[in-house]
Amino acid sequence: MSQLRRFVQVDVFTDQPLKGNPLAVVVDAAGLDEAQMAAFARWTNLSETTFLLPPTDPAADYRVRIFTPGGELPFAGHPTLGSAHAFLASGGDVRKPGQLVQQCAIGLVTIQREGNRLAFAAPPLQRSGPVSDPALRAQALAALRLAPEALLDLVWVDNGPGWMAARLPEAATVLALQPDFVAMKGLKLGVVGAYPAGSAAHVEVRAFVPDLGVPEDPVTGSLNAGLALWLIDSGQAPARYIASQGAALQRAGRVHVHREQGHTWIGGDVVTLVQGQVLL
């Protein structure tokens, strides 16, 4: 039988309402089955909808399931920060002050509080290194409508969702892309390009995921987490930088990255826009 459950909608990776990536969160999701979760995610039609549940791992503060309109994800970044924000705002208890531990399909993810900002520890890459398959490289070039010489790197930065990343010569080239989403079928493709020295942001990022019902994601934590590990390790980014994402969609997302004591933290602000109840 349906019941009223606490519900919030938040904007992630921004401190300005309507400028980040929206997330729907069902706070009291215990008792919902997978079909109900998937149906509600299709109904919200947001890039992700999350469902907060009691943890089954004693080390976790809460458990989350993450759905796109096209299906469930094992991990995603903006749902992690948005879900943590919703958990805290709803009065959730944490085991360690200033820190949360989220349980999701890839395991445990640590989240720290940095003033009003939350940051999650980038999970290790499940697949890394250059994309060597000629067919995949050709598909990525066709999907981005690029000549081979325009592509500086094509690498795996997969921390669960299956991200592949293309590095372009500059941020302006990234912003000018007009992808072919038909040619992109089957890919989860991130693109990154550097801003000139002295700019407010170090890089511009775009994320394309047409198979999940979201041709372009406004601001993407999982992709930025994978990119951060690769960019910092390869010397293409400093240990602390800001990534801009969403400008092509009239958003102004900001992802705050820093490496400290062996962890790479992916941070962002979260703003609550809607709160109430949903009948599920």
Side-chain angles (χ1 to χ4, degrees), residues 14-43:
T14 182
D15 58 3
Q16 306 173 56
L18 311 182
K19 291 296 185 179
N21 198 352
L23 175 74
V25 185
V26 178
V27 177
D28 302 312
L32 292 176
D33 61 29
E34 186 171 309
Q36 290 171 302
M37 293 180 189
F40 186 60
R42 290 193 297 271
W43 183 83

PDB file of all heavy atoms in Angstrom, residues 14-43:
ATOM      1  N   THR A  14      26.423  23.580  -6.529  1.00  0.00           N
ATOM      2  CA  THR A  14      26.177  25.005  -6.674  1.00  0.00           C
ATOM      3  C   THR A  14      25.704  25.572  -5.345  1.00  0.00           C
ATOM      4  O   THR A  14      25.119  24.860  -4.536  1.00  0.00           O
ATOM      5  CB  THR A  14      25.109  25.291  -7.751  1.00  0.00           C
ATOM      6  OG1 THR A  14      24.937  26.697  -7.899  1.00  0.00           O
ATOM      7  CG2 THR A  14      23.763  24.681  -7.369  1.00  0.00           C
ATOM      8  N   ASP A  15      25.985  26.864  -5.132  1.00  0.00           N
ATOM      9  CA  ASP A  15      25.375  27.561  -3.999  1.00  0.00           C
ATOM     10  C   ASP A  15      24.317  28.546  -4.491  1.00  0.00           C
ATOM     11  O   ASP A  15      23.804  29.342  -3.718  1.00  0.00           O
ATOM     12  CB  ASP A  15      26.440  28.285  -3.158  1.00  0.00           C
ATOM     13  CG  ASP A  15      27.252  29.302  -3.963  1.00  0.00           C
ATOM     14  OD1 ASP A  15      26.968  29.498  -5.176  1.00  0.00           O
ATOM     15  OD2 ASP A  15      28.183  29.895  -3.392  1.00  0.00           O
ATOM     16  N   GLN A  16      23.999  28.461  -5.796  1.00  0.00           N
ATOM     17  CA  GLN A  16      22.976  29.308  -6.399  1.00  0.00           C
ATOM     18  C   GLN A  16      21.843  28.419  -6.904  1.00  0.00           C
ATOM     19  O   GLN A  16      22.067  27.589  -7.792  1.00  0.00           O
ATOM     20  CB  GLN A  16      23.536  30.096  -7.578  1.00  0.00           C
ATOM     21  CG  GLN A  16      24.762  30.922  -7.283  1.00  0.00           C
ATOM     22  CD  GLN A  16      25.320  31.528  -8.568  1.00  0.00           C
ATOM     23  OE1 GLN A  16      24.624  32.226  -9.295  1.00  0.00           O
ATOM     24  NE2 GLN A  16      26.583  31.246  -8.852  1.00  0.00           N
ATOM     25  N   PRO A  17      20.635  28.552  -6.366  1.00  0.00           N
ATOM     26  CA  PRO A  17      19.525  27.723  -6.845  1.00  0.00           C
ATOM     27  C   PRO A  17      19.366  27.795  -8.367  1.00  0.00           C
ATOM     28  O   PRO A  17      19.531  28.856  -8.973  1.00  0.00           O
ATOM     29  CB  PRO A  17      18.311  28.331  -6.135  1.00  0.00           C
ATOM     30  CG  PRO A  17      18.873  28.931  -4.892  1.00  0.00           C
ATOM     31  CD  PRO A  17      20.226  29.469  -5.287  1.00  0.00           C
ATOM     32  N   LEU A  18      19.099  26.626  -8.959  1.00  0.00           N
ATOM     33  CA  LEU A  18      18.830  26.473 -10.391  1.00  0.00           C
ATOM     34  C   LEU A  18      20.082  26.500 -11.257  1.00  0.00           C
ATOM     35  O   LEU A  18      19.977  26.471 -12.484  1.00  0.00           O
ATOM     36  CB  LEU A  18      17.840  27.529 -10.907  1.00  0.00           C
ATOM     37  CG  LEU A  18      16.560  27.721 -10.093  1.00  0.00           C
ATOM     38  CD1 LEU A  18      15.669  28.770 -10.752  1.00  0.00           C
ATOM     39  CD2 LEU A  18      15.808  26.407  -9.930  1.00  0.00           C
ATOM     40  N   LYS A  19      21.273  26.500 -10.654  1.00  0.00           N
ATOM     41  CA  LYS A  19      22.507  26.574 -11.429  1.00  0.00           C
ATOM     42  C   LYS A  19      23.324  25.278 -11.388  1.00  0.00           C
ATOM     43  O   LYS A  19      24.365  25.181 -12.033  1.00  0.00           O
ATOM     44  CB  LYS A  19      23.377  27.733 -10.930  1.00  0.00           C
ATOM     45  CG  LYS A  19      22.798  29.113 -11.229  1.00  0.00           C
ATOM     46  CD  LYS A  19      22.711  29.371 -12.723  1.00  0.00           C
ATOM     47  CE  LYS A  19      22.262  30.788 -13.029  1.00  0.00           C
ATOM     48  NZ  LYS A  19      22.195  31.046 -14.498  1.00  0.00           N
ATOM     49  N   GLY A  20      22.885  24.277 -10.599  1.00  0.00           N
ATOM     50  CA  GLY A  20      23.643  23.047 -10.488  1.00  0.00           C
ATOM     51  C   GLY A  20      22.938  21.878 -11.149  1.00  0.00           C
ATOM     52  O   GLY A  20      22.317  22.015 -12.205  1.00  0.00           O
ATOM     53  N   ASN A  21      23.012  20.715 -10.518  1.00  0.00           N
ATOM     54  CA  ASN A  21      22.389  19.496 -11.036  1.00  0.00           C
ATOM     55  C   ASN A  21      21.318  19.045 -10.055  1.00  0.00           C
ATOM     56  O   ASN A  21      21.618  18.707  -8.912  1.00  0.00           O
ATOM     57  CB  ASN A  21      23.440  18.397 -11.199  1.00  0.00           C
ATOM     58  CG  ASN A  21      22.970  17.288 -12.128  1.00  0.00           C
ATOM     59  OD1 ASN A  21      21.816  17.254 -12.547  1.00  0.00           O
ATOM     60  ND2 ASN A  21      23.863  16.370 -12.451  1.00  0.00           N
ATOM     61  N   PRO A  22      20.043  19.041 -10.452  1.00  0.00           N
ATOM     62  CA  PRO A  22      18.975  18.674  -9.528  1.00  0.00           C
ATOM     63  C   PRO A  22      18.997  17.187  -9.193  1.00  0.00           C
ATOM     64  O   PRO A  22      19.400  16.345 -10.001  1.00  0.00           O
ATOM     65  CB  PRO A  22      17.704  19.060 -10.275  1.00  0.00           C
ATOM     66  CG  PRO A  22      18.080  19.034 -11.710  1.00  0.00           C
ATOM     67  CD  PRO A  22      19.519  19.428 -11.776  1.00  0.00           C
ATOM     68  N   LEU A  23      18.541  16.887  -7.998  1.00  0.00           N
ATOM     69  CA  LEU A  23      18.443  15.511  -7.522  1.00  0.00           C
ATOM     70  C   LEU A  23      17.183  15.364  -6.692  1.00  0.00           C
ATOM     71  O   LEU A  23      16.917  16.180  -5.809  1.00  0.00           O
ATOM     72  CB  LEU A  23      19.660  15.153  -6.653  1.00  0.00           C
ATOM     73  CG  LEU A  23      19.624  13.778  -5.983  1.00  0.00           C
ATOM     74  CD1 LEU A  23      19.882  12.682  -7.008  1.00  0.00           C
ATOM     75  CD2 LEU A  23      20.636  13.690  -4.837  1.00  0.00           C
ATOM     76  N   ALA A  24      16.402  14.329  -6.970  1.00  0.00           N
ATOM     77  CA  ALA A  24      15.243  13.983  -6.149  1.00  0.00           C
ATOM     78  C   ALA A  24      15.665  12.923  -5.139  1.00  0.00           C
ATOM     79  O   ALA A  24      16.355  11.963  -5.490  1.00  0.00           O
ATOM     80  CB  ALA A  24      14.110  13.455  -7.025  1.00  0.00           C
ATOM     81  N   VAL A  25      15.266  13.107  -3.880  1.00  0.00           N
ATOM     82  CA  VAL A  25      15.641  12.168  -2.814  1.00  0.00           C
ATOM     83  C   VAL A  25      14.400  11.750  -2.039  1.00  0.00           C
ATOM     84  O   VAL A  25      13.711  12.597  -1.451  1.00  0.00           O
ATOM     85  CB  VAL A  25      16.656  12.790  -1.831  1.00  0.00           C
ATOM     86  CG1 VAL A  25      17.122  11.742  -0.820  1.00  0.00           C
ATOM     87  CG2 VAL A  25      17.842  13.392  -2.566  1.00  0.00           C
ATOM     88  N   VAL A  26      14.112  10.458  -2.031  1.00  0.00           N
ATOM     89  CA  VAL A  26      13.091   9.903  -1.148  1.00  0.00           C
ATOM     90  C   VAL A  26      13.800   9.515   0.141  1.00  0.00           C
ATOM     91  O   VAL A  26      14.621   8.592   0.155  1.00  0.00           O
ATOM     92  CB  VAL A  26      12.386   8.690  -1.792  1.00  0.00           C
ATOM     93  CG1 VAL A  26      11.360   8.104  -0.825  1.00  0.00           C
ATOM     94  CG2 VAL A  26      11.716   9.099  -3.098  1.00  0.00           C
ATOM     95  N   VAL A  27      13.509  10.247   1.202  1.00  0.00           N
ATOM     96  CA  VAL A  27      14.253  10.077   2.456  1.00  0.00           C
ATOM     97  C   VAL A  27      13.869   8.788   3.161  1.00  0.00           C
ATOM     98  O   VAL A  27      14.734   8.088   3.711  1.00  0.00           O
ATOM     99  CB  VAL A  27      14.041  11.303   3.364  1.00  0.00           C
ATOM    100  CG1 VAL A  27      14.749  11.113   4.704  1.00  0.00           C
ATOM    101  CG2 VAL A  27      14.525  12.578   2.678  1.00  0.00           C
ATOM    102  N   ASP A  28      12.591   8.451   3.174  1.00  0.00           N
ATOM    103  CA  ASP A  28      12.113   7.248   3.869  1.00  0.00           C
ATOM    104  C   ASP A  28      11.748   6.193   2.838  1.00  0.00           C
ATOM    105  O   ASP A  28      10.577   5.984   2.528  1.00  0.00           O
ATOM    106  CB  ASP A  28      10.887   7.578   4.720  1.00  0.00           C
ATOM    107  CG  ASP A  28      11.160   8.667   5.745  1.00  0.00           C
ATOM    108  OD1 ASP A  28      12.177   8.566   6.431  1.00  0.00           O
ATOM    109  OD2 ASP A  28      10.345   9.599   5.847  1.00  0.00           O
ATOM    110  N   ALA A  29      12.742   5.501   2.302  1.00  0.00           N
ATOM    111  CA  ALA A  29      12.492   4.586   1.188  1.00  0.00           C
ATOM    112  C   ALA A  29      12.334   3.136   1.607  1.00  0.00           C
ATOM    113  O   ALA A  29      12.100   2.273   0.748  1.00  0.00           O
ATOM    114  CB  ALA A  29      13.618   4.698   0.166  1.00  0.00           C
ATOM    115  N   ALA A  30      12.468   2.840   2.905  1.00  0.00           N
ATOM    116  CA  ALA A  30      12.350   1.447   3.353  1.00  0.00           C
ATOM    117  C   ALA A  30      10.988   0.889   2.944  1.00  0.00           C
ATOM    118  O   ALA A  30       9.958   1.537   3.111  1.00  0.00           O
ATOM    119  CB  ALA A  30      12.522   1.368   4.867  1.00  0.00           C
ATOM    120  N   GLY A  31      11.001  -0.313   2.381  1.00  0.00           N
ATOM    121  CA  GLY A  31       9.761  -0.961   1.965  1.00  0.00           C
ATOM    122  C   GLY A  31       9.482  -0.835   0.480  1.00  0.00           C
ATOM    123  O   GLY A  31       8.640  -1.580  -0.052  1.00  0.00           O
ATOM    124  N   LEU A  32      10.137   0.088  -0.205  1.00  0.00           N
ATOM    125  CA  LEU A  32       9.956   0.213  -1.649  1.00  0.00           C
ATOM    126  C   LEU A  32      10.754  -0.884  -2.364  1.00  0.00           C
ATOM    127  O   LEU A  32      11.884  -1.189  -1.979  1.00  0.00           O
ATOM    128  CB  LEU A  32      10.429   1.573  -2.140  1.00  0.00           C
ATOM    129  CG  LEU A  32       9.621   2.800  -1.703  1.00  0.00           C
ATOM    130  CD1 LEU A  32      10.304   4.077  -2.195  1.00  0.00           C
ATOM    131  CD2 LEU A  32       8.195   2.729  -2.228  1.00  0.00           C
ATOM    132  N   ASP A  33      10.152  -1.459  -3.403  1.00  0.00           N
ATOM    133  CA  ASP A  33      10.916  -2.446  -4.171  1.00  0.00           C
ATOM    134  C   ASP A  33      11.552  -1.773  -5.383  1.00  0.00           C
ATOM    135  O   ASP A  33      11.326  -0.589  -5.669  1.00  0.00           O
ATOM    136  CB  ASP A  33      10.041  -3.634  -4.581  1.00  0.00           C
ATOM    137  CG  ASP A  33       8.860  -3.258  -5.472  1.00  0.00           C
ATOM    138  OD1 ASP A  33       8.964  -2.261  -6.220  1.00  0.00           O
ATOM    139  OD2 ASP A  33       7.837  -3.963  -5.425  1.00  0.00           O
ATOM    140  N   GLU A  34      12.372  -2.538  -6.084  1.00  0.00           N
ATOM    141  CA  GLU A  34      13.143  -1.975  -7.196  1.00  0.00           C
ATOM    142  C   GLU A  34      12.240  -1.404  -8.284  1.00  0.00           C
ATOM    143  O   GLU A  34      12.530  -0.356  -8.870  1.00  0.00           O
ATOM    144  CB  GLU A  34      14.054  -3.045  -7.772  1.00  0.00           C
ATOM    145  CG  GLU A  34      15.002  -2.550  -8.836  1.00  0.00           C
ATOM    146  CD  GLU A  34      16.035  -3.591  -9.221  1.00  0.00           C
ATOM    147  OE1 GLU A  34      16.694  -4.147  -8.322  1.00  0.00           O
ATOM    148  OE2 GLU A  34      16.167  -3.840 -10.439  1.00  0.00           O
ATOM    149  N   ALA A  35      11.133  -2.095  -8.563  1.00  0.00           N
ATOM    150  CA  ALA A  35      10.226  -1.621  -9.608  1.00  0.00           C
ATOM    151  C   ALA A  35       9.614  -0.271  -9.239  1.00  0.00           C
ATOM    152  O   ALA A  35       9.462   0.613 -10.099  1.00  0.00           O
ATOM    153  CB  ALA A  35       9.120  -2.654  -9.851  1.00  0.00           C
ATOM    154  N   GLN A  36       9.256  -0.092  -7.974  1.00  0.00           N
ATOM    155  CA  GLN A  36       8.707   1.195  -7.538  1.00  0.00           C
ATOM    156  C   GLN A  36       9.748   2.307  -7.639  1.00  0.00           C
ATOM    157  O   GLN A  36       9.440   3.426  -8.054  1.00  0.00           O
ATOM    158  CB  GLN A  36       8.200   1.074  -6.092  1.00  0.00           C
ATOM    159  CG  GLN A  36       6.950   0.221  -5.933  1.00  0.00           C
ATOM    160  CD  GLN A  36       6.623  -0.030  -4.474  1.00  0.00           C
ATOM    161  OE1 GLN A  36       7.441  -0.586  -3.727  1.00  0.00           O
ATOM    162  NE2 GLN A  36       5.433   0.371  -4.060  1.00  0.00           N
ATOM    163  N   MET A  37      10.975   2.002  -7.239  1.00  0.00           N
ATOM    164  CA  MET A  37      12.045   2.997  -7.336  1.00  0.00           C
ATOM    165  C   MET A  37      12.274   3.390  -8.794  1.00  0.00           C
ATOM    166  O   MET A  37      12.380   4.576  -9.127  1.00  0.00           O
ATOM    167  CB  MET A  37      13.336   2.449  -6.724  1.00  0.00           C
ATOM    168  CG  MET A  37      13.270   2.229  -5.224  1.00  0.00           C
ATOM    169  SD  MET A  37      14.847   1.573  -4.586  1.00  0.00           S
ATOM    170  CE  MET A  37      14.381   1.174  -2.899  1.00  0.00           C
ATOM    171  N   ALA A  38      12.359   2.399  -9.666  1.00  0.00           N
ATOM    172  CA  ALA A  38      12.600   2.683 -11.079  1.00  0.00           C
ATOM    173  C   ALA A  38      11.452   3.493 -11.678  1.00  0.00           C
ATOM    174  O   ALA A  38      11.682   4.424 -12.463  1.00  0.00           O
ATOM    175  CB  ALA A  38      12.786   1.373 -11.849  1.00  0.00           C
ATOM    176  N   ALA A  39      10.215   3.171 -11.303  1.00  0.00           N
ATOM    177  CA  ALA A  39       9.055   3.898 -11.830  1.00  0.00           C
ATOM    178  C   ALA A  39       9.075   5.353 -11.377  1.00  0.00           C
ATOM    179  O   ALA A  39       8.772   6.267 -12.163  1.00  0.00           O
ATOM    180  CB  ALA A  39       7.770   3.215 -11.385  1.00  0.00           C
ATOM    181  N   PHE A  40       9.429   5.586 -10.107  1.00  0.00           N
ATOM    182  CA  PHE A  40       9.464   6.974  -9.621  1.00  0.00           C
ATOM    183  C   PHE A  40      10.594   7.749 -10.286  1.00  0.00           C
ATOM    184  O   PHE A  40      10.438   8.929 -10.624  1.00  0.00           O
ATOM    185  CB  PHE A  40       9.618   6.997  -8.098  1.00  0.00           C
ATOM    186  CG  PHE A  40       9.511   8.384  -7.522  1.00  0.00           C
ATOM    187  CD1 PHE A  40       8.361   9.140  -7.700  1.00  0.00           C
ATOM    188  CD2 PHE A  40      10.554   8.947  -6.812  1.00  0.00           C
ATOM    189  CE1 PHE A  40       8.255  10.428  -7.186  1.00  0.00           C
ATOM    190  CE2 PHE A  40      10.464  10.229  -6.285  1.00  0.00           C
ATOM    191  CZ  PHE A  40       9.311  10.974  -6.478  1.00  0.00           C
ATOM    192  N   ALA A  41      11.733   7.100 -10.521  1.00  0.00           N
ATOM    193  CA  ALA A  41      12.843   7.769 -11.208  1.00  0.00           C
ATOM    194  C   ALA A  41      12.460   8.151 -12.632  1.00  0.00           C
ATOM    195  O   ALA A  41      12.825   9.224 -13.124  1.00  0.00           O
ATOM    196  CB  ALA A  41      14.080   6.876 -11.207  1.00  0.00           C
ATOM    197  N   ARG A  42      11.710   7.285 -13.299  1.00  0.00           N
ATOM    198  CA  ARG A  42      11.233   7.637 -14.642  1.00  0.00           C
ATOM    199  C   ARG A  42      10.268   8.815 -14.567  1.00  0.00           C
ATOM    200  O   ARG A  42      10.268   9.693 -15.433  1.00  0.00           O
ATOM    201  CB  ARG A  42      10.548   6.431 -15.303  1.00  0.00           C
ATOM    202  CG  ARG A  42      11.502   5.309 -15.694  1.00  0.00           C
ATOM    203  CD  ARG A  42      10.826   4.298 -16.608  1.00  0.00           C
ATOM    204  NE  ARG A  42       9.716   3.618 -15.946  1.00  0.00           N
ATOM    205  CZ  ARG A  42       9.828   2.500 -15.246  1.00  0.00           C
ATOM    206  NH1 ARG A  42      11.023   1.938 -15.098  1.00  0.00           N
ATOM    207  NH2 ARG A  42       8.777   1.934 -14.693  1.00  0.00           N
ATOM    208  N   TRP A  43       9.450   8.839 -13.521  1.00  0.00           N
ATOM    209  CA  TRP A  43       8.452   9.904 -13.385  1.00  0.00           C
ATOM    210  C   TRP A  43       9.097  11.246 -13.104  1.00  0.00           C
ATOM    211  O   TRP A  43       8.701  12.267 -13.674  1.00  0.00           O
ATOM    212  CB  TRP A  43       7.476   9.542 -12.269  1.00  0.00           C
ATOM    213  CG  TRP A  43       6.368  10.533 -12.095  1.00  0.00           C
ATOM    214  CD1 TRP A  43       5.203  10.614 -12.803  1.00  0.00           C
ATOM    215  CD2 TRP A  43       6.322  11.601 -11.141  1.00  0.00           C
ATOM    216  NE1 TRP A  43       4.440  11.665 -12.349  1.00  0.00           N
ATOM    217  CE2 TRP A  43       5.101  12.291 -11.336  1.00  0.00           C
ATOM    218  CE3 TRP A  43       7.202  12.039 -10.147  1.00  0.00           C
ATOM    219  CZ2 TRP A  43       4.740  13.392 -10.567  1.00  0.00           C
ATOM    220  CZ3 TRP A  43       6.841  13.138  -9.386  1.00  0.00           C
ATOM    221  CH2 TRP A  43       5.624  13.801  -9.597  1.00  0.00           C
TER     222      TRP A  43
END
